[in-house]
Every structure is written in structure tokens, then in C-alpha cells.
Amino acid sequence: ELLLSIYGLGLNKYFEKVKKIENIDHGALCDLIYHDIEIVKEHYKNKLLIEGRYGTTFKSAFFVSAPIPKENIVSIVKLTEAWNFPTPALKIHDFQ
């Protein structure tokens, strides 16, 4: 349920594949999910906080080509005071 709320209902088709294949390559399956444009679009809308590796906290994460041309940068926000994140809804370490 939590993964569906973070990545969207399109993730269900991959859950169905996992049920049907006994010795599935989870890495390859994740690669398919990362490149599914519908799942990427839904993940972009995610509002739940995720705690990732190395204590990073985010709502969505994507692979991007670098360098990013300056005309493609929409905005930059510099924090002027300390920020305390709320408790994440999902911790990546809970899935390992």
C-alpha cells in the first residue's frame, strides 16, 4: 500500500509479474520500473517523505543527465535557518 502511494497504481503490473515468476531478477525488475514513464510521472507527485540511503530525506528521486544547463534551472532556494524534517513515512532500510 505504501509503495503504491509513493509510486502510483501502475506499480501493480510489476507486483503481478513478481507473483508469476519464481526466480525473478529483482534488479532487472527495478530497472523496468525506473524507466516506466507513467510510474515516473506518478512518483513525481508523491507527497510522502522517504528516508533513503545515508540519511537523505526526499519525496521523489530521479536520474538526471549532468551538467544541467543554467536555462533549465527553474529555481534555487537557500535555507536561512536550520530545518528539521518530519518523520519519514518510509525508510529504505525497512525493505532490505
Coordinates of all heavy atoms in Angstrom, one line a residue:
E1 N 0.8 -1.2 0.0 CA 0.0 0.0 0.0 C 0.9 1.3 0.0 O 0.6 2.2 -0.7 CB -0.9 0.0 1.2 CG -1.9 -1.1 1.3 CD -3.2 -0.8 0.5 OE1 -3.5 0.4 0.4 OE2 -3.8 -1.8 0.0
L2 N 1.9 1.2 0.8 CA 2.8 2.4 0.9 C 3.5 2.6 -0.4 O 3.6 3.8 -0.9 CB 3.8 2.2 2.1 CG 4.5 3.4 2.6 CD1 3.5 4.6 2.9 CD2 5.3 3.1 3.8
L3 N 4.0 1.6 -1.0 CA 4.7 1.7 -2.2 C 3.8 2.2 -3.3 O 4.2 3.0 -4.2 CB 5.4 0.4 -2.7 CG 6.6 0.0 -1.8 CD1 7.1 -1.4 -2.2 CD2 7.7 1.0 -1.9
L4 N 2.6 1.8 -3.3 CA 1.6 2.2 -4.3 C 1.3 3.7 -4.1 O 1.1 4.4 -5.1 CB 0.3 1.4 -4.2 CG 0.4 0.0 -4.7 CD1 -0.9 -0.7 -4.4 CD2 0.7 -0.1 -6.2
S5 N 1.3 4.2 -2.9 CA 1.0 5.6 -2.7 C 2.2 6.5 -3.1 O 2.0 7.6 -3.5 CB 0.6 5.9 -1.2 OG 1.7 5.6 -0.4
I6 N 3.4 5.9 -3.1 CA 4.6 6.6 -3.5 C 4.8 6.6 -5.0 O 5.3 7.6 -5.6 CB 5.8 6.1 -2.7 CG1 5.7 6.5 -1.2 CG2 7.1 6.7 -3.3 CD1 6.7 5.8 -0.3
Y7 N 4.6 5.4 -5.6 CA 4.9 5.2 -7.0 C 3.7 5.2 -7.9 O 3.8 5.2 -9.1 CB 5.7 4.0 -7.2 CG 7.1 4.1 -6.6 CD1 7.4 3.6 -5.3 CD2 8.1 4.9 -7.2 CE1 8.7 3.7 -4.8 CE2 9.4 5.0 -6.7 CZ 9.6 4.4 -5.5 OH 10.9 4.6 -4.9
G8 N 2.5 5.1 -7.4 CA 1.3 5.1 -8.2 C 0.8 3.7 -8.4 O 1.5 2.7 -8.3
L9 N -0.4 3.6 -8.9 CA -1.1 2.3 -9.1 C -0.5 1.5 -10.3 O -0.7 0.3 -10.4 CB -2.6 2.5 -9.4 CG -3.4 3.1 -8.2 CD1 -4.8 3.3 -8.6 CD2 -3.3 2.2 -7.0
G10 N 0.3 2.2 -11.1 CA 1.0 1.5 -12.2 C 1.9 0.4 -11.7 O 2.3 -0.5 -12.4
L11 N 2.3 0.5 -10.5 CA 3.3 -0.4 -9.9 C 2.6 -1.8 -9.8 O 3.3 -2.8 -9.7 CB 3.7 0.1 -8.5 CG 4.9 -0.5 -7.9 CD1 6.1 -0.3 -8.8 CD2 5.2 0.2 -6.5
N12 N 1.3 -1.9 -9.7 CA 0.6 -3.1 -9.6 C 1.0 -4.1 -10.7 O 1.1 -5.3 -10.5 CB -0.9 -2.9 -9.7 CG -1.5 -2.7 -8.3 OD1 -1.0 -3.2 -7.3 ND2 -2.5 -1.8 -8.2
K13 N 1.2 -3.6 -11.9 CA 1.5 -4.6 -13.0 C 2.9 -5.3 -12.7 O 3.1 -6.4 -13.1 CB 1.5 -3.9 -14.4 CG 2.6 -2.9 -14.6 CD 2.4 -2.2 -16.0 CE 3.4 -1.1 -16.1 NZ 3.1 -0.3 -17.4
Y14 N 3.8 -4.6 -12.0 CA 5.0 -5.2 -11.7 C 4.9 -6.2 -10.5 O 5.5 -7.2 -10.5 CB 6.1 -4.2 -11.4 CG 6.4 -3.4 -12.6 CD1 5.8 -2.1 -12.8 CD2 7.2 -3.9 -13.6 CE1 6.1 -1.4 -14.0 CE2 7.5 -3.2 -14.8 CZ 6.9 -1.9 -15.0 OH 7.2 -1.2 -16.1
F15 N 4.0 -5.9 -9.6 CA 3.7 -6.8 -8.5 C 3.1 -8.1 -9.1 O 3.4 -9.2 -8.6 CB 2.7 -6.2 -7.5 CG 3.3 -5.1 -6.6 CD1 2.5 -4.1 -6.2 CD2 4.6 -5.2 -6.2 CE1 3.0 -3.1 -5.3 CE2 5.1 -4.2 -5.3 CZ 4.3 -3.2 -4.9
E16 N 2.3 -8.0 -10.1 CA 1.7 -9.2 -10.8 C 2.8 -10.0 -11.4 O 2.7 -11.2 -11.4 CB 0.6 -8.7 -11.8 CG -0.6 -8.1 -11.2 CD -1.3 -9.0 -10.1 OE1 -1.4 -10.2 -10.4 OE2 -1.6 -8.5 -9.1
K17 N 3.8 -9.4 -12.0 CA 4.9 -10.1 -12.7 C 5.7 -10.9 -11.6 O 6.1 -12.0 -11.8 CB 5.8 -9.1 -13.4 CG 5.2 -8.6 -14.7 CD 6.1 -7.7 -15.4 CE 5.4 -7.1 -16.6 NZ 6.2 -6.3 -17.5
V18 N 5.9 -10.2 -10.4 CA 6.7 -10.9 -9.4 C 6.0 -12.1 -8.9 O 6.6 -13.2 -8.6 CB 6.9 -9.9 -8.2 CG1 7.4 -10.6 -7.0 CG2 7.8 -8.8 -8.6
K19 N 4.6 -12.1 -8.8 CA 3.8 -13.2 -8.4 C 4.0 -14.4 -9.3 O 3.9 -15.6 -8.9 CB 2.4 -12.9 -8.2 CG 2.0 -12.0 -7.1 CD 0.5 -11.7 -7.1 CE 0.2 -10.6 -6.2 NZ -1.3 -10.2 -6.3
K20 N 4.1 -14.1 -10.6 CA 4.1 -15.2 -11.7 C 5.5 -15.8 -11.9 O 5.5 -16.9 -12.4 CB 3.5 -14.6 -13.0 CG 2.1 -14.2 -12.9 CD 1.6 -13.6 -14.2 CE 0.2 -13.1 -14.1 NZ -0.2 -12.3 -15.3
I21 N 6.5 -15.1 -11.6 CA 7.9 -15.6 -11.9 C 8.6 -16.0 -10.6 O 8.7 -15.2 -9.7 CB 8.7 -14.5 -12.6 CG1 8.0 -14.1 -13.9 CG2 10.1 -15.0 -12.9 CD1 8.5 -12.9 -14.6
E22 N 9.0 -17.3 -10.6 CA 9.6 -17.8 -9.4 C 11.0 -17.2 -9.0 O 11.2 -16.8 -7.9 CB 9.7 -19.4 -9.5 CG 10.1 -20.0 -8.2 CD 10.0 -21.5 -8.3 OE1 9.0 -22.0 -8.8 OE2 10.9 -22.2 -7.8
N23 N 11.9 -17.2 -10.0 CA 13.2 -16.7 -9.7 C 13.5 -15.5 -10.5 O 14.3 -15.4 -11.4 CB 14.3 -17.8 -10.2 CG 14.2 -19.0 -9.3 OD1 14.1 -18.9 -8.1 ND2 14.3 -20.2 -9.9
I24 N 12.8 -14.4 -10.1 CA 12.9 -13.1 -10.8 C 14.1 -12.4 -10.4 O 14.6 -12.4 -9.3 CB 11.6 -12.3 -10.6 CG1 11.5 -11.1 -11.6 CG2 11.5 -11.8 -9.2 CD1 10.2 -10.5 -11.7
D25 N 14.7 -11.7 -11.4 CA 15.9 -10.8 -11.2 C 15.3 -9.5 -10.7 O 14.8 -8.7 -11.5 CB 16.7 -10.7 -12.4 CG 17.9 -9.8 -12.3 OD1 18.0 -9.0 -11.3 OD2 18.8 -9.8 -13.2
H26 N 15.4 -9.2 -9.4 CA 14.8 -8.0 -8.8 C 15.5 -6.8 -9.3 O 14.8 -5.7 -9.5 CB 14.8 -8.1 -7.3 CG 13.9 -9.1 -6.7 ND1 14.3 -10.4 -6.4 CD2 12.5 -9.0 -6.5 CE1 13.2 -11.0 -6.0 NE2 12.1 -10.2 -6.0
G27 N 16.8 -6.8 -9.6 CA 17.5 -5.7 -10.1 C 16.9 -5.3 -11.5 O 16.7 -4.1 -11.8
A28 N 16.7 -6.3 -12.4 CA 16.2 -6.1 -13.7 C 14.8 -5.5 -13.6 O 14.4 -4.6 -14.4 CB 16.2 -7.3 -14.5
L29 N 14.0 -6.0 -12.7 CA 12.6 -5.6 -12.5 C 12.6 -4.1 -12.0 O 11.9 -3.3 -12.6 CB 11.9 -6.4 -11.5 CG 10.4 -6.0 -11.2 CD1 9.6 -6.3 -12.5 CD2 9.9 -6.8 -10.1
C30 N 13.5 -3.7 -11.1 CA 13.6 -2.3 -10.7 C 14.0 -1.4 -11.9 O 13.5 -0.3 -12.0 CB 14.6 -2.2 -9.6 SG 14.0 -2.9 -8.0
D31 N 14.9 -1.9 -12.7 CA 15.3 -1.1 -13.9 C 14.1 -0.9 -14.8 O 13.9 0.3 -15.3 CB 16.4 -1.9 -14.7 CG 17.7 -1.8 -14.1 OD1 17.9 -0.9 -13.2 OD2 18.6 -2.6 -14.5
L32 N 13.2 -1.8 -15.0 CA 12.0 -1.6 -15.7 C 11.1 -0.6 -15.1 O 10.6 0.3 -15.8 CB 11.2 -2.9 -15.9 CG 11.8 -4.0 -16.8 CD1 10.9 -5.3 -16.7 CD2 11.8 -3.5 -18.2
I33 N 11.0 -0.7 -13.8 CA 10.1 0.3 -13.1 C 10.7 1.7 -13.2 O 10.0 2.7 -13.4 CB 10.0 -0.1 -11.6 CG1 9.2 -1.4 -11.5 CG2 9.4 1.0 -10.8 CD1 9.2 -2.1 -10.1
Y34 N 12.0 1.9 -13.0 CA 12.6 3.2 -13.1 C 12.4 3.9 -14.4 O 12.4 5.1 -14.5 CB 14.2 3.1 -12.9 CG 14.6 2.7 -11.5 CD1 15.8 2.0 -11.3 CD2 13.8 3.0 -10.4 CE1 16.2 1.6 -10.1 CE2 14.3 2.6 -9.1 CZ 15.4 1.9 -9.0 OH 15.9 1.5 -7.7
H35 N 12.3 3.1 -15.5 CA 12.2 3.6 -16.8 C 10.7 3.7 -17.3 O 10.5 4.0 -18.5 CB 13.0 2.8 -17.8 CG 14.5 3.0 -17.5 ND1 15.2 2.2 -16.7 CD2 15.3 4.0 -17.9 CE1 16.5 2.7 -16.7 NE2 16.6 3.8 -17.4
D36 N 9.8 3.3 -16.5 CA 8.4 3.3 -16.9 C 7.9 4.8 -16.7 O 7.7 5.2 -15.6 CB 7.6 2.3 -16.0 CG 6.1 2.2 -16.4 OD1 5.5 3.3 -16.7 OD2 5.6 1.1 -16.4
I37 N 7.6 5.5 -17.8 CA 7.3 6.9 -17.7 C 6.1 7.2 -16.9 O 6.0 8.2 -16.2 CB 7.3 7.5 -19.1 CG1 7.3 9.0 -19.1 CG2 6.0 7.0 -19.9 CD1 8.5 9.6 -18.5
E38 N 5.1 6.3 -16.9 CA 3.9 6.5 -16.1 C 4.2 6.5 -14.6 O 3.7 7.3 -13.9 CB 2.8 5.5 -16.5 CG 2.3 5.7 -17.9 CD 1.8 7.1 -18.3 OE1 1.1 7.7 -17.4 OE2 2.2 7.6 -19.3
I39 N 5.0 5.5 -14.2 CA 5.4 5.4 -12.8 C 6.3 6.7 -12.4 O 6.1 7.2 -11.4 CB 6.1 4.1 -12.5 CG1 5.1 3.0 -12.6 CG2 6.8 4.1 -11.2 CD1 5.6 1.6 -12.4
V40 N 7.2 7.1 -13.3 CA 8.0 8.3 -13.0 C 7.1 9.5 -12.8 O 7.2 10.3 -11.9 CB 9.0 8.5 -14.2 CG1 9.6 9.9 -14.0 CG2 10.0 7.4 -14.2
K41 N 6.1 9.7 -13.7 CA 5.1 10.8 -13.5 C 4.4 10.7 -12.2 O 4.2 11.8 -11.6 CB 4.1 10.8 -14.7 CG 4.7 11.2 -16.0 CD 3.7 11.2 -17.1 CE 4.2 11.5 -18.5 NZ 3.2 11.4 -19.5
E42 N 3.9 9.6 -11.8 CA 3.2 9.4 -10.6 C 4.1 9.6 -9.4 O 3.7 10.3 -8.4 CB 2.5 8.0 -10.5 CG 1.3 7.9 -11.4 CD 0.2 8.9 -11.1 OE1 -0.1 9.1 -9.9 OE2 -0.2 9.6 -12.1
H43 N 5.3 9.1 -9.5 CA 6.3 9.3 -8.4 C 6.6 10.8 -8.2 O 6.8 11.2 -7.0 CB 7.6 8.5 -8.6 CG 8.6 8.6 -7.6 ND1 8.3 8.3 -6.2 CD2 9.9 8.9 -7.6 CE1 9.4 8.5 -5.5 NE2 10.4 8.9 -6.3
Y44 N 6.6 11.5 -9.2 CA 6.9 13.0 -9.1 C 5.9 13.7 -8.3 O 6.2 14.7 -7.6 CB 6.9 13.6 -10.6 CG 7.1 15.1 -10.6 CD1 8.4 15.6 -10.3 CD2 6.1 15.9 -10.9 CE1 8.5 17.0 -10.3 CE2 6.2 17.3 -10.9 CZ 7.5 17.8 -10.6 OH 7.6 19.2 -10.6
K45 N 4.7 13.1 -8.2 CA 3.6 13.7 -7.5 C 3.6 13.3 -6.0 O 2.8 13.8 -5.2 CB 2.2 13.3 -8.1 CG 2.0 13.8 -9.5 CD 0.7 13.2 -10.0 CE 0.5 13.3 -11.4 NZ -0.7 12.6 -11.9
N46 N 4.4 12.4 -5.6 CA 4.5 11.9 -4.3 C 4.6 13.0 -3.2 O 5.4 13.9 -3.4 CB 5.6 10.9 -4.1 CG 5.7 10.4 -2.7 OD1 4.8 10.0 -2.1 ND2 6.9 10.4 -2.1
K47 N 3.8 12.9 -2.1 CA 3.8 13.9 -1.1 C 4.4 13.3 0.2 O 4.6 14.0 1.2 CB 2.4 14.4 -0.8 CG 1.8 15.1 -2.0 CD 2.5 16.3 -2.4 CE 1.8 17.0 -3.5 NZ 2.7 17.8 -4.4
L48 N 4.6 12.0 0.3 CA 5.1 11.3 1.5 C 6.7 11.4 1.6 O 7.3 11.3 0.5 CB 4.7 9.9 1.5 CG 3.3 9.6 1.6 CD1 3.0 8.1 1.5 CD2 2.7 10.1 2.9
L49 N 7.2 11.7 2.7 CA 8.6 11.7 2.9 C 9.2 10.3 2.9 O 8.7 9.4 3.5 CB 9.0 12.4 4.2 CG 9.0 13.9 4.1 CD1 9.3 14.5 5.5 CD2 9.9 14.5 3.1
I50 N 10.4 10.2 2.3 CA 11.1 8.9 2.2 C 12.5 9.1 2.8 O 13.1 10.1 2.5 CB 11.3 8.4 0.7 CG1 9.9 8.3 0.1 CG2 12.0 7.1 0.7 CD1 10.0 8.2 -1.4
E51 N 12.9 8.2 3.6 CA 14.3 8.3 4.1 C 15.1 7.3 3.3 O 14.9 6.1 3.3 CB 14.4 8.0 5.6 CG 15.8 8.1 6.1 CD 15.9 7.7 7.6 OE1 15.5 8.5 8.4 OE2 16.5 6.6 7.9
G52 N 16.1 7.8 2.6 CA 16.9 6.9 1.7 C 18.2 6.6 2.3 O 18.4 6.7 3.6
R53 N 19.1 6.1 1.5 CA 20.5 5.8 2.0 C 21.2 7.0 2.5 O 20.9 8.1 2.1 CB 21.3 5.2 0.8 CG 20.8 3.8 0.4 CD 21.6 3.3 -0.7 NE 21.3 4.0 -1.9 CZ 21.8 3.9 -3.1 NH1 22.8 3.0 -3.3 NH2 21.5 4.6 -4.1
Y54 N 22.1 6.8 3.4 CA 22.9 7.8 4.0 C 22.1 8.9 4.7 O 22.5 10.1 4.8 CB 23.8 8.4 2.9 CG 24.6 7.4 2.1 CD1 24.3 7.2 0.8 CD2 25.5 6.5 2.7 CE1 24.9 6.2 0.1 CE2 26.1 5.6 2.0 CZ 25.8 5.4 0.7 OH 26.4 4.4 -0.1
G55 N 20.9 8.6 5.1 CA 20.1 9.6 5.9 C 19.4 10.7 5.0 O 18.9 11.6 5.6
T56 N 19.5 10.5 3.7 CA 18.8 11.5 2.8 C 17.3 11.4 3.0 O 16.8 10.4 3.2 CB 19.2 11.3 1.4 OG1 18.8 10.0 1.0 CG2 20.7 11.5 1.1
T57 N 16.7 12.6 2.9 CA 15.2 12.6 3.1 C 14.7 13.3 1.8 O 15.1 14.4 1.5 CB 14.8 13.4 4.3 OG1 15.4 12.7 5.5 CG2 13.3 13.3 4.6
F58 N 13.7 12.7 1.2 CA 13.2 13.3 -0.1 C 11.7 12.8 -0.3 O 11.3 11.9 0.3 CB 14.1 12.9 -1.2 CG 14.3 11.4 -1.4 CD1 13.5 10.6 -2.2 CD2 15.3 10.8 -0.6 CE1 13.7 9.3 -2.2 CE2 15.5 9.4 -0.7 CZ 14.7 8.7 -1.5
K59 N 11.1 13.4 -1.3 CA 9.7 12.9 -1.7 C 9.8 12.2 -3.0 O 9.0 11.3 -3.3 CB 8.8 14.1 -1.8 CG 8.5 14.7 -0.5 CD 7.5 15.9 -0.6 CE 7.2 16.5 0.7 NZ 6.3 17.6 0.7
S60 N 10.7 12.5 -3.9 CA 10.9 11.8 -5.1 C 12.4 11.9 -5.5 O 13.1 12.9 -5.2 CB 10.0 12.3 -6.2 OG 10.2 13.7 -6.4
A61 N 12.8 10.9 -6.3 CA 14.2 10.9 -6.8 C 14.3 10.4 -8.2 O 13.5 9.5 -8.5 CB 15.1 10.1 -5.9
F62 N 15.1 11.0 -9.0 CA 15.2 10.7 -10.4 C 16.7 10.7 -10.9 O 17.5 11.4 -10.3 CB 14.4 11.7 -11.3 CG 13.0 11.8 -10.9 CD1 12.6 12.8 -10.0 CD2 12.1 10.9 -11.3 CE1 11.3 12.9 -9.6 CE2 10.8 11.0 -10.9 CZ 10.4 12.1 -10.0
F63 N 17.0 10.0 -11.9 CA 18.3 10.1 -12.6 C 18.2 11.2 -13.5 O 17.2 11.4 -14.3 CB 18.6 8.8 -13.4 CG 18.8 7.6 -12.5 CD1 17.9 6.6 -12.4 CD2 20.0 7.5 -11.8 CE1 18.1 5.5 -11.6 CE2 20.3 6.4 -11.0 CZ 19.3 5.4 -10.9
V64 N 19.2 12.1 -13.5 CA 19.3 13.2 -14.4 C 20.6 13.2 -15.1 O 21.6 12.8 -14.5 CB 19.1 14.6 -13.7 CG1 17.7 15.1 -13.9 CG2 19.5 14.5 -12.3
S65 N 20.7 13.7 -16.3 CA 21.9 13.9 -17.0 C 22.6 15.2 -16.6 O 21.9 16.2 -16.4 CB 21.7 14.0 -18.5 OG 21.1 12.7 -19.0
A66 N 23.8 15.1 -16.3 CA 24.6 16.3 -15.9 C 25.6 16.7 -17.0 O 26.1 15.8 -17.7 CB 25.2 16.1 -14.6
P67 N 26.0 17.9 -17.1 CA 25.6 19.0 -16.3 C 24.2 19.5 -16.8 O 23.8 19.2 -17.9 CB 26.7 20.1 -16.7 CG 27.1 19.7 -18.0 CD 27.0 18.2 -18.1
I68 N 23.5 20.2 -15.9 CA 22.2 20.8 -16.2 C 22.5 22.2 -16.7 O 23.1 23.1 -16.0 CB 21.3 20.8 -15.0 CG1 21.1 19.4 -14.4 CG2 20.0 21.5 -15.3 CD1 20.4 19.4 -13.1
P69 N 22.0 22.5 -18.0 CA 22.2 23.9 -18.5 C 21.5 24.9 -17.6 O 20.4 24.7 -17.1 CB 21.6 23.8 -19.9 CG 21.5 22.4 -20.2 CD 21.4 21.6 -18.9
K70 N 22.1 26.1 -17.4 CA 21.6 27.1 -16.5 C 20.2 27.5 -16.9 O 19.4 27.8 -16.0 CB 22.5 28.3 -16.3 CG 22.7 29.0 -17.6 CD 23.7 30.2 -17.4 CE 24.0 30.9 -18.7 NZ 25.0 32.0 -18.5
E71 N 19.8 27.5 -18.2 CA 18.5 27.9 -18.6 C 17.4 26.9 -18.2 O 16.2 27.2 -18.2 CB 18.4 28.2 -20.1 CG 18.8 27.0 -21.0 CD 20.3 26.9 -21.3 OE1 21.1 27.6 -20.7 OE2 20.7 26.1 -22.1
N72 N 17.8 25.7 -17.8 CA 16.9 24.6 -17.4 C 16.6 24.7 -15.9 O 15.8 23.9 -15.4 CB 17.3 23.3 -17.8 CG 17.3 23.1 -19.3 OD1 16.7 23.9 -20.0 ND2 17.8 21.9 -19.8
I73 N 17.4 25.5 -15.1 CA 17.2 25.6 -13.7 C 16.1 26.5 -13.4 O 16.1 27.7 -13.8 CB 18.5 26.0 -13.0 CG1 19.6 24.9 -13.3 CG2 18.3 26.2 -11.5 CD1 21.0 25.4 -12.8
V74 N 15.0 26.0 -12.8 CA 13.8 26.8 -12.5 C 14.0 27.7 -11.3 O 13.7 28.9 -11.3 CB 12.6 25.9 -12.4 CG1 11.4 26.7 -12.0 CG2 12.3 25.1 -13.6
S75 N 14.5 27.2 -10.2 CA 14.8 28.0 -9.0 C 15.8 27.3 -8.1 O 16.0 26.1 -8.2 CB 13.4 28.2 -8.3 OG 13.0 27.0 -7.8
I76 N 16.3 28.1 -7.2 CA 17.2 27.6 -6.2 C 16.8 28.3 -4.9 O 16.5 29.5 -4.9 CB 18.7 28.0 -6.5 CG1 19.2 27.3 -7.8 CG2 19.6 27.6 -5.3 CD1 20.5 27.8 -8.3
V77 N 16.7 27.5 -3.9 CA 16.3 28.1 -2.6 C 17.4 27.8 -1.6 O 17.9 26.7 -1.4 CB 15.0 27.4 -2.0 CG1 14.6 27.9 -0.7 CG2 13.9 27.6 -3.0
K78 N 17.9 28.9 -1.0 CA 18.9 28.7 0.1 C 18.3 28.9 1.4 O 17.6 29.9 1.7 CB 20.0 29.8 -0.1 CG 21.1 29.8 0.9 CD 22.1 30.8 0.6 CE 23.3 30.7 1.6 NZ 24.3 31.8 1.4
L79 N 18.4 27.9 2.3 CA 17.8 27.9 3.6 C 18.6 28.9 4.4 O 19.8 28.9 4.4 CB 17.9 26.5 4.2 CG 17.1 25.4 3.5 CD1 17.2 24.1 4.3 CD2 15.6 25.8 3.5
T80 N 17.9 29.7 5.2 CA 18.5 30.7 6.0 C 18.5 30.3 7.5 O 19.1 30.9 8.3 CB 17.8 32.1 5.9 OG1 16.4 31.9 6.2 CG2 17.9 32.6 4.5
E81 N 17.8 29.2 7.8 CA 17.8 28.7 9.2 C 17.8 27.1 9.1 O 17.5 26.6 8.1 CB 16.6 29.2 10.0 CG 15.3 29.0 9.3 CD 14.2 29.7 10.0 OE1 14.2 30.9 10.1 OE2 13.2 29.0 10.5
A82 N 18.1 26.5 10.3 CA 18.0 25.1 10.3 C 16.6 24.5 10.0 O 15.6 25.1 10.4 CB 18.5 24.6 11.7
W83 N 16.6 23.4 9.4 CA 15.3 22.8 9.0 C 15.3 21.4 9.6 O 16.2 20.6 9.4 CB 15.2 22.7 7.5 CG 14.0 21.9 7.0 CD1 14.0 20.7 6.5 CD2 12.6 22.4 7.0 NE1 12.7 20.3 6.2 CE2 11.8 21.4 6.5 CE3 12.0 23.6 7.4 CZ2 10.5 21.5 6.4 CZ3 10.6 23.7 7.3 CH2 9.9 22.6 6.8
N84 N 14.2 21.1 10.3 CA 14.0 19.7 10.8 C 12.9 19.0 10.1 O 11.8 19.5 10.1 CB 13.6 19.8 12.3 CG 14.8 20.3 13.1 OD1 15.9 19.9 12.9 ND2 14.5 21.2 14.1
F85 N 13.3 17.9 9.4 CA 12.3 17.2 8.6 C 11.4 16.4 9.5 O 11.8 15.9 10.6 CB 13.0 16.2 7.7 CG 13.6 16.8 6.5 CD1 14.9 17.1 6.4 CD2 12.8 17.1 5.4 CE1 15.5 17.6 5.3 CE2 13.3 17.7 4.2 CZ 14.7 17.9 4.2
P86 N 10.1 16.3 9.2 CA 9.2 15.4 9.9 C 9.7 14.0 9.7 O 10.5 13.7 8.9 CB 7.8 15.6 9.2 CG 8.0 16.7 8.2 CD 9.4 17.0 8.1
T87 N 9.1 13.1 10.5 CA 9.5 11.7 10.4 C 9.0 11.1 9.0 O 7.9 11.3 8.6 CB 8.8 10.8 11.5 OG1 9.2 11.4 12.8 CG2 9.2 9.4 11.5
P88 N 9.9 10.4 8.3 CA 9.6 9.9 7.0 C 8.5 8.8 7.1 O 8.5 8.1 8.1 CB 10.9 9.3 6.5 CG 11.9 10.0 7.3 CD 11.3 10.3 8.6
A89 N 7.6 8.7 6.1 CA 6.6 7.6 6.1 C 7.2 6.3 5.7 O 6.7 5.3 6.1 CB 5.6 8.0 5.0
L90 N 8.4 6.3 5.0 CA 9.0 5.1 4.5 C 10.5 5.2 4.7 O 11.1 6.3 4.4 CB 8.7 4.9 3.1 CG 9.4 3.8 2.3 CD1 9.0 2.4 2.8 CD2 9.2 3.9 0.8
K91 N 11.1 4.2 5.2 CA 12.6 4.1 5.4 C 13.1 3.0 4.5 O 12.6 1.9 4.6 CB 13.0 3.9 6.8 CG 12.6 5.1 7.7 CD 13.1 4.9 9.1 CE 12.7 6.1 9.9 NZ 13.3 6.1 11.2
I92 N 14.0 3.4 3.6 CA 14.5 2.4 2.6 C 15.1 1.2 3.4 O 14.9 0.0 2.9 CB 15.6 3.0 1.7 CG1 15.0 4.1 0.8 CG2 16.3 2.0 0.9 CD1 13.9 3.7 -0.1
H93 N 15.7 1.4 4.5 CA 16.3 0.3 5.2 C 15.3 -0.8 5.7 O 15.6 -1.9 6.0 CB 17.1 0.8 6.4 CG 18.3 1.7 6.0 ND1 19.4 1.1 5.3 CD2 18.5 3.0 6.1 CE1 20.2 2.1 5.1 NE2 19.7 3.2 5.5
D94 N 14.0 -0.4 5.8 CA 13.0 -1.3 6.2 C 12.7 -2.4 5.1 O 12.1 -3.4 5.4 CB 11.7 -0.6 6.5 CG 11.7 0.3 7.7 OD1 12.7 0.1 8.5 OD2 10.9 1.2 7.8
F95 N 13.2 -2.1 3.9 CA 13.0 -3.0 2.8 C 14.2 -3.9 2.5 O 14.2 -4.7 1.5 CB 12.6 -2.3 1.5 CG 11.2 -1.7 1.6 CD1 10.9 -0.5 2.1 CD2 10.1 -2.5 1.2 CE1 9.7 0.0 2.3 CE2 8.8 -2.0 1.3 CZ 8.6 -0.7 1.8
Q96 N 15.3 -3.8 3.2 CA 16.5 -4.6 3.0 C 16.5 -5.8 3.8 O 15.9 -6.0 4.8 CB 17.7 -3.7 3.2 CG 17.7 -2.6 2.2 CD 19.0 -1.7 2.4 OE1 19.6 -1.7 3.4 NE2 19.2 -0.9 1.4

